[in-house]
Amino acid sequence: MTLSTLKRTLFTVLFLTVFSFSFAKQSEDTGDSEKFDSKAMILHHVKDAYGFHIATLHKGQENETHINIPLPIILYTDQGFTAFLSSEFEYDYNGNVVVEKDGQKFANVHEKIYVLNEGETAVAYDADHHPTNASRPIVDLSVTKNVFMMWVSVIVLLLIFMTAAKHYKKSGENVPKGIASFIEPLVLFVRDDIAIPMIGEHKYKRFMPYLLTVFFFIWINNIFGLIPILNGANLTGNIAFTCAMALCTFVITTLSGNKNYWKHIFWMPGVPVPMKIFLMPIEIVGMFVKPISLMIRLFANITAGHIIVLALMSLIFIFKSYAVAPISVGFSLFIIIIEILVTAIQAYIFTILSALYFGMATEEAH
C-alpha cells in the first residue's frame, strides 16, 4: 500500500468516525422520548422519494436547515392534471403537511401521494396506519429521486462517450487519449470477453450497442448509489428499474430467436415424444424465469448492500454510545469497499447473462 493510498484510507475512516460521532450525539440529545426506529430509517433510505434530500444542517437542538432539490410532482386525478414542486410538502413524508392545489388536497404518506376526500383537512389512519379518508391519484407521473438520478446518469454517460469520440476524431491514428483511454479497454472487454464468446463472432455486432449500454448504465448507477451526498439514490435497487432492464433483454431475446431456438422450446429435437410433451411446459416457463432472475438478482444484491451499511450505522443510535462508533464505521467501510466491487460485478453479470440469452436465441442447429 502506497503512502497516498494510506492517507486516503485514514482520511476516510476519520471522516466516517466524526460523521458517526455527530449523529450519535444527536441521538443521545433526543433522549428516550423518541425511540430510534432503525427499520423505518433503512426503508426510508432505500425506497424512492419525491424530493432529493442532500443534507441537513443542525443549528442547535431544534433549528435545522434542509438542503434539498425540489422535484416536480405531476398527478392525474378525476379532476384532471395537477402539478407542483415537492418542496410544498416541506419535505414531510408522514402526511402532516397538506397541500391544496386546483381545489384538491394532497398529502405525502410514506413517499406516496394521496388525494384527500372532499371536505377533509387532514389524513386519518386505521390501525395499520393506512389512510382511510384519502385515495391514490389515477396516474402518478412525478419526477422522483430515482428518475432524476437516471436522467443525470444518462447525461454523464453522454458526456463521457461524446468526449471520448471527440478525442478519437482529433487523433489521426485513432490513439485514445484522456477519458477515451479509460473507456476503450472496457468496450474491448465487453466485446472480446462477453459478446463474442457468448453470441459468436459472426452475430455479436448487432447486439453490441445494447450490451455496452446495459453495462455502463447499470455500472454508473450502481456507483451513484454509493455516493453519500447523493443520499444513496437507489436506482438499481428499485424493482421497477431492474424489471424494465430485464424486460428489454427478454424482448430482444424473443425477437431474435431463430427456428432452432423455438424448436428447442416447443418440440425438443432428438428426444422421445412423451419427453417432448414433458419438457415443453418447462422450457416455456424457463423463457420467463430467465428475465425474472435477472431482475431479482440485480435488485436484491444492490439493495442488500445498502441495507447492511445502514444497519451497521444504526448500531450507534441503538446503543447510544461512542464506543460503538469505531466498530460500526470499520465494518461499514469494509462493506462499502466490497460494494465498490459489486457495482462492477453486477453490471458484468447482467451483461454476460443477457449476451448468453442472445447467443442461445441465435444459435444454429448442430
Side-chain angles (χ1 to χ4, degrees):
M1 180 182 291
T2 63
L3 183 60
S4 59
T5 304
L6 181 61
K7 288 181 178 178
R8 286 195 295 267
T9 304
L10 292 176
F11 175 77
T12 304
V13 173
L14 180 62
F15 172 77
L16 289 175
T17 304
V18 174
F19 185 73
S20 303
F21 281 168
S22 65
F23 275 97
K25 183 66 170 71
Q26 178 191 347
S27 179
E28 289 179 350
D29 290 341
T30 57
D32 296 331
S33 59
E34 186 178 349
K35 186 178 180 181
F36 177 72
D37 189 348
S38 59
K39 178 182 176 181
M41 183 275 292
I42 293 172
L43 291 178
H44 173 67
H45 278 79
V46 299
K47 70 190 299 187
D48 203 359
Y50 287 99
F52 199 104
H53 178 75
I54 297 176
T56 300
L57 303 178
H58 297 272
K59 299 177 180 179
Q61 192 169 355
E62 298 182 356
N63 190 6
E64 296 179 347
T65 301
H66 298 278
I67 302 176
N68 300 276
I69 299 177
L71 301 176
I73 292 178
I74 306 171
L75 307 171
Y76 180 75
T77 66
D78 52 3
Q79 298 186 22
F81 281 99
T82 300
F84 54 93
L85 291 178
S86 60
S87 56
E88 298 202 27
F89 283 120
E90 300 177 8
Y91 305 101
D92 168 74
Y93 55 89
N94 295 314
N96 298 325
V97 177
V98 177
V99 176
E100 187 171 356
K101 289 287 181 181
D102 300 329
Q104 300 178 95
K105 296 183 177 66
F106 303 92
N108 182 357
V109 181
H110 304 308
E111 300 301 350
K112 290 184 179 180
I113 302 295
Y114 283 86
V115 185
L116 273 68
N117 298 338
E118 188 175 353
E120 300 289 346
T121 57
V123 182
Y125 302 95
D126 58 15
D128 296 324
H129 203 70
H130 296 148
T132 58
N133 61 342
S135 60
R136 296 276 289 150
I138 299 174
V139 179
D140 189 347
L141 300 175
S142 304
V143 178
T144 61
K145 178 175 66 175
N146 286 341
V147 174
F148 176 77
M149 284 309 303
M150 182 172 62
W151 290 351
V152 171
S153 65
V154 169
I155 294 172
V156 171
L157 284 176
L158 287 175
L159 290 175
I160 290 174
F161 282 96
M162 289 174 68
T163 304
K166 189 176 180 181
H167 282 297
Y168 276 109
K169 288 182 179 180
K170 288 183 177 181
S171 176
E173 300 177 355
N174 290 329
V175 178
K177 294 181 180 179
I179 190 66
S181 61
F182 172 76
I183 295 298
E184 182 178 291
L186 295 174
V187 174
L188 294 178
F189 168 75
V190 174
R191 185 194 69 180
D192 298 337
D193 294 324
I194 296 179
I196 294 178
M198 295 295 110
I199 303 173
E201 194 169 354
H202 301 290
K203 297 181 179 181
Y204 79 92
K205 289 185 178 179
R206 62 179 173 140
F207 298 105
M208 275 297 291
Y210 176 75
L211 295 176
L212 287 171
T213 302
V214 165
F215 179 79
F216 285 101
F217 191 50
I218 293 177
W219 190 17
I220 196 168
N221 279 294
N222 287 346
I223 293 173
F224 281 161
L226 296 179
I227 301 176
I229 197 172
L230 298 180
N231 201 23
N234 192 26
L235 181 58
T236 45
N238 187 297
I239 192 69
F241 174 82
T242 59
C243 178
M245 300 293 291
L247 185 61
C248 291
T249 296
F250 172 74
V251 171
I252 295 174
T253 303
T254 304
L255 296 180
S256 302
N258 56 21
K259 183 179 179 181
N260 180 61
Y261 172 72
W262 293 112
K263 184 184 292 185
H264 275 76
I265 291 178
F266 291 103
W267 204 247
M268 184 78 66
V271 297
V273 173
M275 186 59 67
K276 291 180 179 181
I277 298 174
F278 176 76
L279 289 175
M280 182 175 61
I282 298 176
E283 291 294 330
I284 293 174
V285 171
M287 288 177 55
F288 300 96
V289 169
K290 291 172 185 175
I292 291 175
S293 66
L294 277 180
M295 172 186 70
I296 295 176
R297 182 183 291 106
L298 180 59
F299 161 75
N301 280 280
I302 299 302
T303 303
H306 286 268
I307 291 176
I308 292 173
V309 172
L310 291 170
L312 289 171
M313 298 300 290
S314 297
L315 295 176
I316 304 170
F317 307 99
I318 295 173
F319 290 99
K320 296 182 179 180
S321 172
Y322 288 142
V324 182
I327 300 175
S328 296
V329 170
F331 279 104
S332 297
L333 181 61
F334 175 72
I335 296 298
I336 289 174
I337 292 173
I338 294 178
E339 282 295 297
I340 294 174
L341 298 176
V342 171
T343 58
I345 291 173
Q346 289 304 315
Y348 168 75
I349 291 175
F350 195 100
T351 307
I352 197 171
L353 288 178
S354 297
L356 175 63
Y357 300 154
F358 300 158
M360 295 169 60
T362 57
E363 183 181 13
E364 298 295 340
H366 296 293

PDB file of all heavy atoms in Angstrom, residues 144-175:
ATOM      1  N   THR A 144     -39.387  11.491  -9.545  1.00  0.00           N
ATOM      2  CA  THR A 144     -38.889  11.121  -8.235  1.00  0.00           C
ATOM      3  C   THR A 144     -37.368  11.197  -8.199  1.00  0.00           C
ATOM      4  O   THR A 144     -36.718  11.501  -9.200  1.00  0.00           O
ATOM      5  CB  THR A 144     -39.355   9.708  -7.866  1.00  0.00           C
ATOM      6  OG1 THR A 144     -38.833   8.782  -8.834  1.00  0.00           O
ATOM      7  CG2 THR A 144     -40.867   9.614  -7.858  1.00  0.00           C
ATOM      8  N   LYS A 145     -36.800  10.893  -7.039  1.00  0.00           N
ATOM      9  CA  LYS A 145     -35.346  10.918  -6.874  1.00  0.00           C
ATOM     10  C   LYS A 145     -34.660   9.951  -7.822  1.00  0.00           C
ATOM     11  O   LYS A 145     -33.631  10.278  -8.424  1.00  0.00           O
ATOM     12  CB  LYS A 145     -34.997  10.585  -5.420  1.00  0.00           C
ATOM     13  CG  LYS A 145     -33.514  10.533  -5.127  1.00  0.00           C
ATOM     14  CD  LYS A 145     -33.250  10.327  -3.653  1.00  0.00           C
ATOM     15  CE  LYS A 145     -33.722   8.985  -3.174  1.00  0.00           C
ATOM     16  NZ  LYS A 145     -33.360   8.729  -1.758  1.00  0.00           N
ATOM     17  N   ASN A 146     -35.226   8.763  -7.972  1.00  0.00           N
ATOM     18  CA  ASN A 146     -34.614   7.779  -8.869  1.00  0.00           C
ATOM     19  C   ASN A 146     -34.704   8.202 -10.329  1.00  0.00           C
ATOM     20  O   ASN A 146     -33.767   7.991 -11.102  1.00  0.00           O
ATOM     21  CB  ASN A 146     -35.276   6.414  -8.678  1.00  0.00           C
ATOM     22  CG  ASN A 146     -34.851   5.742  -7.386  1.00  0.00           C
ATOM     23  OD1 ASN A 146     -33.826   6.096  -6.799  1.00  0.00           O
ATOM     24  ND2 ASN A 146     -35.620   4.772  -6.933  1.00  0.00           N
ATOM     25  N   VAL A 147     -35.832   8.781 -10.711  1.00  0.00           N
ATOM     26  CA  VAL A 147     -35.974   9.261 -12.092  1.00  0.00           C
ATOM     27  C   VAL A 147     -34.980  10.382 -12.363  1.00  0.00           C
ATOM     28  O   VAL A 147     -34.342  10.439 -13.430  1.00  0.00           O
ATOM     29  CB  VAL A 147     -37.416   9.740 -12.353  1.00  0.00           C
ATOM     30  CG1 VAL A 147     -37.539  10.372 -13.734  1.00  0.00           C
ATOM     31  CG2 VAL A 147     -38.395   8.584 -12.212  1.00  0.00           C
ATOM     32  N   PHE A 148     -34.829  11.281 -11.397  1.00  0.00           N
ATOM     33  CA  PHE A 148     -33.878  12.380 -11.541  1.00  0.00           C
ATOM     34  C   PHE A 148     -32.455  11.857 -11.714  1.00  0.00           C
ATOM     35  O   PHE A 148     -31.708  12.306 -12.590  1.00  0.00           O
ATOM     36  CB  PHE A 148     -33.966  13.289 -10.312  1.00  0.00           C
ATOM     37  CG  PHE A 148     -32.961  14.413 -10.293  1.00  0.00           C
ATOM     38  CD1 PHE A 148     -33.146  15.540 -11.065  1.00  0.00           C
ATOM     39  CD2 PHE A 148     -31.821  14.318  -9.501  1.00  0.00           C
ATOM     40  CE1 PHE A 148     -32.218  16.573 -11.056  1.00  0.00           C
ATOM     41  CE2 PHE A 148     -30.895  15.344  -9.484  1.00  0.00           C
ATOM     42  CZ  PHE A 148     -31.090  16.471 -10.265  1.00  0.00           C
ATOM     43  N   MET A 149     -32.061  10.883 -10.886  1.00  0.00           N
ATOM     44  CA  MET A 149     -30.714  10.332 -10.989  1.00  0.00           C
ATOM     45  C   MET A 149     -30.529   9.534 -12.277  1.00  0.00           C
ATOM     46  O   MET A 149     -29.422   9.450 -12.813  1.00  0.00           O
ATOM     47  CB  MET A 149     -30.406   9.457  -9.782  1.00  0.00           C
ATOM     48  CG  MET A 149     -30.096  10.228  -8.523  1.00  0.00           C
ATOM     49  SD  MET A 149     -28.833  11.511  -8.761  1.00  0.00           S
ATOM     50  CE  MET A 149     -27.459  10.549  -9.382  1.00  0.00           C
ATOM     51  N   MET A 150     -31.596   8.951 -12.793  1.00  0.00           N
ATOM     52  CA  MET A 150     -31.500   8.251 -14.071  1.00  0.00           C
ATOM     53  C   MET A 150     -31.189   9.232 -15.187  1.00  0.00           C
ATOM     54  O   MET A 150     -30.355   8.964 -16.057  1.00  0.00           O
ATOM     55  CB  MET A 150     -32.802   7.502 -14.368  1.00  0.00           C
ATOM     56  CG  MET A 150     -32.774   6.701 -15.664  1.00  0.00           C
ATOM     57  SD  MET A 150     -34.221   5.646 -15.864  1.00  0.00           S
ATOM     58  CE  MET A 150     -35.530   6.883 -15.906  1.00  0.00           C
ATOM     59  N   TRP A 151     -31.832  10.400 -15.165  1.00  0.00           N
ATOM     60  CA  TRP A 151     -31.525  11.434 -16.158  1.00  0.00           C
ATOM     61  C   TRP A 151     -30.094  11.917 -16.000  1.00  0.00           C
ATOM     62  O   TRP A 151     -29.390  12.136 -16.999  1.00  0.00           O
ATOM     63  CB  TRP A 151     -32.503  12.594 -16.006  1.00  0.00           C
ATOM     64  CG  TRP A 151     -33.900  12.271 -16.428  1.00  0.00           C
ATOM     65  CD1 TRP A 151     -34.318  11.135 -17.064  1.00  0.00           C
ATOM     66  CD2 TRP A 151     -35.063  13.068 -16.235  1.00  0.00           C
ATOM     67  NE1 TRP A 151     -35.676  11.179 -17.277  1.00  0.00           N
ATOM     68  CE2 TRP A 151     -36.161  12.351 -16.787  1.00  0.00           C
ATOM     69  CE3 TRP A 151     -35.299  14.312 -15.658  1.00  0.00           C
ATOM     70  CZ2 TRP A 151     -37.459  12.853 -16.779  1.00  0.00           C
ATOM     71  CZ3 TRP A 151     -36.591  14.816 -15.649  1.00  0.00           C
ATOM     72  CH2 TRP A 151     -37.662  14.093 -16.201  1.00  0.00           C
ATOM     73  N   VAL A 152     -29.659  12.085 -14.753  1.00  0.00           N
ATOM     74  CA  VAL A 152     -28.281  12.527 -14.508  1.00  0.00           C
ATOM     75  C   VAL A 152     -27.293  11.514 -15.061  1.00  0.00           C
ATOM     76  O   VAL A 152     -26.288  11.864 -15.703  1.00  0.00           O
ATOM     77  CB  VAL A 152     -28.041  12.756 -13.006  1.00  0.00           C
ATOM     78  CG1 VAL A 152     -26.567  12.996 -12.721  1.00  0.00           C
ATOM     79  CG2 VAL A 152     -28.873  13.930 -12.506  1.00  0.00           C
ATOM     80  N   SER A 153     -27.553  10.230 -14.834  1.00  0.00           N
ATOM     81  CA  SER A 153     -26.649   9.191 -15.330  1.00  0.00           C
ATOM     82  C   SER A 153     -26.607   9.170 -16.850  1.00  0.00           C
ATOM     83  O   SER A 153     -25.549   8.939 -17.444  1.00  0.00           O
ATOM     84  CB  SER A 153     -27.068   7.830 -14.787  1.00  0.00           C
ATOM     85  OG  SER A 153     -28.340   7.445 -15.282  1.00  0.00           O
ATOM     86  N   VAL A 154     -27.730   9.407 -17.497  1.00  0.00           N
ATOM     87  CA  VAL A 154     -27.764   9.468 -18.964  1.00  0.00           C
ATOM     88  C   VAL A 154     -26.913  10.633 -19.464  1.00  0.00           C
ATOM     89  O   VAL A 154     -26.128  10.487 -20.419  1.00  0.00           O
ATOM     90  CB  VAL A 154     -29.218   9.599 -19.465  1.00  0.00           C
ATOM     91  CG1 VAL A 154     -29.242   9.923 -20.960  1.00  0.00           C
ATOM     92  CG2 VAL A 154     -29.998   8.319 -19.206  1.00  0.00           C
ATOM     93  N   ILE A 155     -27.048  11.790 -18.812  1.00  0.00           N
ATOM     94  CA  ILE A 155     -26.254  12.964 -19.208  1.00  0.00           C
ATOM     95  C   ILE A 155     -24.762  12.696 -19.011  1.00  0.00           C
ATOM     96  O   ILE A 155     -23.940  13.023 -19.874  1.00  0.00           O
ATOM     97  CB  ILE A 155     -26.702  14.206 -18.410  1.00  0.00           C
ATOM     98  CG1 ILE A 155     -28.137  14.586 -18.791  1.00  0.00           C
ATOM     99  CG2 ILE A 155     -25.763  15.377 -18.655  1.00  0.00           C
ATOM    100  CD1 ILE A 155     -28.738  15.681 -17.927  1.00  0.00           C
ATOM    101  N   VAL A 156     -24.407  12.073 -17.873  1.00  0.00           N
ATOM    102  CA  VAL A 156     -23.000  11.764 -17.596  1.00  0.00           C
ATOM    103  C   VAL A 156     -22.445  10.802 -18.641  1.00  0.00           C
ATOM    104  O   VAL A 156     -21.331  10.988 -19.156  1.00  0.00           O
ATOM    105  CB  VAL A 156     -22.844  11.183 -16.182  1.00  0.00           C
ATOM    106  CG1 VAL A 156     -21.431  10.650 -15.963  1.00  0.00           C
ATOM    107  CG2 VAL A 156     -23.168  12.245 -15.133  1.00  0.00           C
ATOM    108  N   LEU A 157     -23.216   9.776 -18.982  1.00  0.00           N
ATOM    109  CA  LEU A 157     -22.753   8.813 -19.986  1.00  0.00           C
ATOM    110  C   LEU A 157     -22.583   9.471 -21.353  1.00  0.00           C
ATOM    111  O   LEU A 157     -21.624   9.188 -22.081  1.00  0.00           O
ATOM    112  CB  LEU A 157     -23.732   7.649 -20.079  1.00  0.00           C
ATOM    113  CG  LEU A 157     -23.679   6.624 -18.940  1.00  0.00           C
ATOM    114  CD1 LEU A 157     -24.764   5.585 -19.103  1.00  0.00           C
ATOM    115  CD2 LEU A 157     -22.320   5.951 -18.896  1.00  0.00           C
ATOM    116  N   LEU A 158     -23.526  10.340 -21.722  1.00  0.00           N
ATOM    117  CA  LEU A 158     -23.412  11.046 -22.997  1.00  0.00           C
ATOM    118  C   LEU A 158     -22.168  11.923 -23.032  1.00  0.00           C
ATOM    119  O   LEU A 158     -21.438  11.953 -24.035  1.00  0.00           O
ATOM    120  CB  LEU A 158     -24.662  11.897 -23.246  1.00  0.00           C
ATOM    121  CG  LEU A 158     -25.944  11.134 -23.623  1.00  0.00           C
ATOM    122  CD1 LEU A 158     -27.126  12.089 -23.708  1.00  0.00           C
ATOM    123  CD2 LEU A 158     -25.758  10.409 -24.960  1.00  0.00           C
ATOM    124  N   LEU A 159     -21.907  12.622 -21.927  1.00  0.00           N
ATOM    125  CA  LEU A 159     -20.714  13.470 -21.867  1.00  0.00           C
ATOM    126  C   LEU A 159     -19.439  12.635 -21.974  1.00  0.00           C
ATOM    127  O   LEU A 159     -18.487  13.005 -22.675  1.00  0.00           O
ATOM    128  CB  LEU A 159     -20.712  14.276 -20.569  1.00  0.00           C
ATOM    129  CG  LEU A 159     -21.767  15.389 -20.457  1.00  0.00           C
ATOM    130  CD1 LEU A 159     -21.719  16.013 -19.065  1.00  0.00           C
ATOM    131  CD2 LEU A 159     -21.546  16.451 -21.522  1.00  0.00           C
ATOM    132  N   ILE A 160     -19.419  11.495 -21.281  1.00  0.00           N
ATOM    133  CA  ILE A 160     -18.228  10.638 -21.301  1.00  0.00           C
ATOM    134  C   ILE A 160     -17.958  10.121 -22.708  1.00  0.00           C
ATOM    135  O   ILE A 160     -16.834  10.230 -23.228  1.00  0.00           O
ATOM    136  CB  ILE A 160     -18.391   9.469 -20.316  1.00  0.00           C
ATOM    137  CG1 ILE A 160     -18.346   9.974 -18.864  1.00  0.00           C
ATOM    138  CG2 ILE A 160     -17.299   8.416 -20.538  1.00  0.00           C
ATOM    139  CD1 ILE A 160     -18.645   8.900 -17.835  1.00  0.00           C
ATOM    140  N   PHE A 161     -18.968   9.573 -23.365  1.00  0.00           N
ATOM    141  CA  PHE A 161     -18.744   8.947 -24.666  1.00  0.00           C
ATOM    142  C   PHE A 161     -18.599   9.981 -25.786  1.00  0.00           C
ATOM    143  O   PHE A 161     -17.875   9.740 -26.753  1.00  0.00           O
ATOM    144  CB  PHE A 161     -19.871   7.972 -24.976  1.00  0.00           C
ATOM    145  CG  PHE A 161     -19.731   6.666 -24.250  1.00  0.00           C
ATOM    146  CD1 PHE A 161     -20.393   6.454 -23.051  1.00  0.00           C
ATOM    147  CD2 PHE A 161     -18.913   5.667 -24.733  1.00  0.00           C
ATOM    148  CE1 PHE A 161     -20.246   5.271 -22.361  1.00  0.00           C
ATOM    149  CE2 PHE A 161     -18.758   4.473 -24.059  1.00  0.00           C
ATOM    150  CZ  PHE A 161     -19.431   4.267 -22.869  1.00  0.00           C
ATOM    151  N   MET A 162     -19.260  11.113 -25.654  1.00  0.00           N
ATOM    152  CA  MET A 162     -19.068  12.172 -26.658  1.00  0.00           C
ATOM    153  C   MET A 162     -17.669  12.765 -26.547  1.00  0.00           C
ATOM    154  O   MET A 162     -17.036  13.074 -27.560  1.00  0.00           O
ATOM    155  CB  MET A 162     -20.136  13.257 -26.483  1.00  0.00           C
ATOM    156  CG  MET A 162     -21.538  12.806 -26.898  1.00  0.00           C
ATOM    157  SD  MET A 162     -22.823  14.019 -26.527  1.00  0.00           S
ATOM    158  CE  MET A 162     -22.386  15.316 -27.666  1.00  0.00           C
ATOM    159  N   THR A 163     -17.187  12.887 -25.309  1.00  0.00           N
ATOM    160  CA  THR A 163     -15.815  13.371 -25.123  1.00  0.00           C
ATOM    161  C   THR A 163     -14.811  12.368 -25.664  1.00  0.00           C
ATOM    162  O   THR A 163     -13.811  12.739 -26.298  1.00  0.00           O
ATOM    163  CB  THR A 163     -15.540  13.634 -23.632  1.00  0.00           C
ATOM    164  OG1 THR A 163     -16.520  14.545 -23.119  1.00  0.00           O
ATOM    165  CG2 THR A 163     -14.149  14.214 -23.432  1.00  0.00           C
ATOM    166  N   ALA A 164     -15.056  11.071 -25.409  1.00  0.00           N
ATOM    167  CA  ALA A 164     -14.163  10.029 -25.927  1.00  0.00           C
ATOM    168  C   ALA A 164     -14.158  10.027 -27.452  1.00  0.00           C
ATOM    169  O   ALA A 164     -13.095   9.907 -28.080  1.00  0.00           O
ATOM    170  CB  ALA A 164     -14.587   8.667 -25.391  1.00  0.00           C
ATOM    171  N   ALA A 165     -15.341  10.174 -28.048  1.00  0.00           N
ATOM    172  CA  ALA A 165     -15.419  10.213 -29.521  1.00  0.00           C
ATOM    173  C   ALA A 165     -14.690  11.426 -30.082  1.00  0.00           C
ATOM    174  O   ALA A 165     -14.061  11.351 -31.145  1.00  0.00           O
ATOM    175  CB  ALA A 165     -16.882  10.224 -29.941  1.00  0.00           C
ATOM    176  N   LYS A 166     -14.762  12.545 -29.373  1.00  0.00           N
ATOM    177  CA  LYS A 166     -14.064  13.757 -29.811  1.00  0.00           C
ATOM    178  C   LYS A 166     -12.558  13.545 -29.809  1.00  0.00           C
ATOM    179  O   LYS A 166     -11.851  14.010 -30.722  1.00  0.00           O
ATOM    180  CB  LYS A 166     -14.449  14.922 -28.893  1.00  0.00           C
ATOM    181  CG  LYS A 166     -13.962  16.276 -29.365  1.00  0.00           C
ATOM    182  CD  LYS A 166     -14.473  17.371 -28.436  1.00  0.00           C
ATOM    183  CE  LYS A 166     -13.985  18.733 -28.889  1.00  0.00           C
ATOM    184  NZ  LYS A 166     -14.462  19.823 -27.978  1.00  0.00           N
ATOM    185  N   HIS A 167     -12.049  12.836 -28.805  1.00  0.00           N
ATOM    186  CA  HIS A 167     -10.605  12.552 -28.745  1.00  0.00           C
ATOM    187  C   HIS A 167     -10.184  11.669 -29.911  1.00  0.00           C
ATOM    188  O   HIS A 167      -9.104  11.843 -30.475  1.00  0.00           O
ATOM    189  CB  HIS A 167     -10.253  11.874 -27.414  1.00  0.00           C
ATOM    190  CG  HIS A 167     -10.189  12.824 -26.259  1.00  0.00           C
ATOM    191  ND1 HIS A 167      -9.280  13.859 -26.196  1.00  0.00           N
ATOM    192  CD2 HIS A 167     -10.910  12.901 -25.110  1.00  0.00           C
ATOM    193  CE1 HIS A 167      -9.444  14.528 -25.055  1.00  0.00           C
ATOM    194  NE2 HIS A 167     -10.430  13.956 -24.383  1.00  0.00           N
ATOM    195  N   TYR A 168     -11.029  10.709 -30.277  1.00  0.00           N
ATOM    196  CA  TYR A 168     -10.698   9.827 -31.394  1.00  0.00           C
ATOM    197  C   TYR A 168     -10.671  10.599 -32.717  1.00  0.00           C
ATOM    198  O   TYR A 168      -9.851  10.336 -33.594  1.00  0.00           O
ATOM    199  CB  TYR A 168     -11.705   8.687 -31.482  1.00  0.00           C
ATOM    200  CG  TYR A 168     -11.390   7.521 -30.582  1.00  0.00           C
ATOM    201  CD1 TYR A 168     -12.158   7.251 -29.453  1.00  0.00           C
ATOM    202  CD2 TYR A 168     -10.314   6.690 -30.857  1.00  0.00           C
ATOM    203  CE1 TYR A 168     -11.865   6.185 -28.623  1.00  0.00           C
ATOM    204  CE2 TYR A 168     -10.010   5.611 -30.028  1.00  0.00           C
ATOM    205  CZ  TYR A 168     -10.794   5.371 -28.918  1.00  0.00           C
ATOM    206  OH  TYR A 168     -10.484   4.316 -28.099  1.00  0.00           O
ATOM    207  N   LYS A 169     -11.605  11.541 -32.861  1.00  0.00           N
ATOM    208  CA  LYS A 169     -11.640  12.325 -34.094  1.00  0.00           C
ATOM    209  C   LYS A 169     -10.403  13.203 -34.228  1.00  0.00           C
ATOM    210  O   LYS A 169      -9.892  13.416 -35.334  1.00  0.00           O
ATOM    211  CB  LYS A 169     -12.902  13.187 -34.120  1.00  0.00           C
ATOM    212  CG  LYS A 169     -14.178  12.390 -34.363  1.00  0.00           C
ATOM    213  CD  LYS A 169     -15.393  13.311 -34.435  1.00  0.00           C
ATOM    214  CE  LYS A 169     -16.660  12.519 -34.692  1.00  0.00           C
ATOM    215  NZ  LYS A 169     -17.861  13.398 -34.763  1.00  0.00           N
ATOM    216  N   LYS A 170      -9.933  13.735 -33.112  1.00  0.00           N
ATOM    217  CA  LYS A 170      -8.749  14.586 -33.152  1.00  0.00           C
ATOM    218  C   LYS A 170      -7.475  13.787 -33.392  1.00  0.00           C
ATOM    219  O   LYS A 170      -6.487  14.313 -33.912  1.00  0.00           O
ATOM    220  CB  LYS A 170      -8.625  15.369 -31.831  1.00  0.00           C
ATOM    221  CG  LYS A 170      -9.658  16.476 -31.686  1.00  0.00           C
ATOM    222  CD  LYS A 170      -9.414  17.253 -30.395  1.00  0.00           C
ATOM    223  CE  LYS A 170     -10.387  18.409 -30.264  1.00  0.00           C
ATOM    224  NZ  LYS A 170     -10.158  19.191 -29.018  1.00  0.00           N
ATOM    225  N   SER A 171      -7.484  12.517 -33.004  1.00  0.00           N
ATOM    226  CA  SER A 171      -6.294  11.679 -33.163  1.00  0.00           C
ATOM    227  C   SER A 171      -6.273  11.104 -34.571  1.00  0.00           C
ATOM    228  O   SER A 171      -7.197  10.408 -34.989  1.00  0.00           O
ATOM    229  CB  SER A 171      -6.300  10.550 -32.128  1.00  0.00           C
ATOM    230  OG  SER A 171      -5.212   9.684 -32.342  1.00  0.00           O
ATOM    231  N   GLY A 172      -5.213  11.373 -35.295  1.00  0.00           N
ATOM    232  CA  GLY A 172      -5.120  10.886 -36.669  1.00  0.00           C
ATOM    233  C   GLY A 172      -4.937   9.386 -36.750  1.00  0.00           C
ATOM    234  O   GLY A 172      -5.329   8.759 -37.734  1.00  0.00           O
ATOM    235  N   GLU A 173      -4.364   8.757 -35.727  1.00  0.00           N
ATOM    236  CA  GLU A 173      -4.092   7.323 -35.743  1.00  0.00           C
ATOM    237  C   GLU A 173      -5.015   6.546 -34.800  1.00  0.00           C
ATOM    238  O   GLU A 173      -4.721   5.403 -34.436  1.00  0.00           O
ATOM    239  CB  GLU A 173      -2.631   7.073 -35.357  1.00  0.00           C
ATOM    240  CG  GLU A 173      -1.639   7.740 -36.302  1.00  0.00           C
ATOM    241  CD  GLU A 173      -0.208   7.522 -35.854  1.00  0.00           C
ATOM    242  OE1 GLU A 173      -0.025   6.933 -34.760  1.00  0.00           O
ATOM    243  OE2 GLU A 173       0.707   7.911 -36.587  1.00  0.00           O
ATOM    244  N   ASN A 174      -6.119   7.167 -34.414  1.00  0.00           N
ATOM    245  CA  ASN A 174      -7.091   6.548 -33.509  1.00  0.00           C
ATOM    246  C   ASN A 174      -6.456   6.091 -32.194  1.00  0.00           C
ATOM    247  O   ASN A 174      -6.778   5.025 -31.658  1.00  0.00           O
ATOM    248  CB  ASN A 174      -7.781   5.362 -34.185  1.00  0.00           C
ATOM    249  CG  ASN A 174      -8.717   5.794 -35.294  1.00  0.00           C
ATOM    250  OD1 ASN A 174      -9.306   6.872 -35.226  1.00  0.00           O
ATOM    251  ND2 ASN A 174      -8.855   4.963 -36.315  1.00  0.00           N
ATOM    252  N   VAL A 175      -5.542   6.891 -31.701  1.00  0.00           N
ATOM    253  CA  VAL A 175      -4.904   6.595 -30.414  1.00  0.00           C
ATOM    254  C   VAL A 175      -5.747   7.225 -29.308  1.00  0.00           C
ATOM    255  O   VAL A 175      -5.985   8.434 -29.327  1.00  0.00           O
ATOM    256  CB  VAL A 175      -3.469   7.142 -30.375  1.00  0.00           C
ATOM    257  CG1 VAL A 175      -2.844   6.864 -29.009  1.00  0.00           C
ATOM    258  CG2 VAL A 175      -2.637   6.533 -31.488  1.00  0.00           C
TER     259      VAL A 175
END
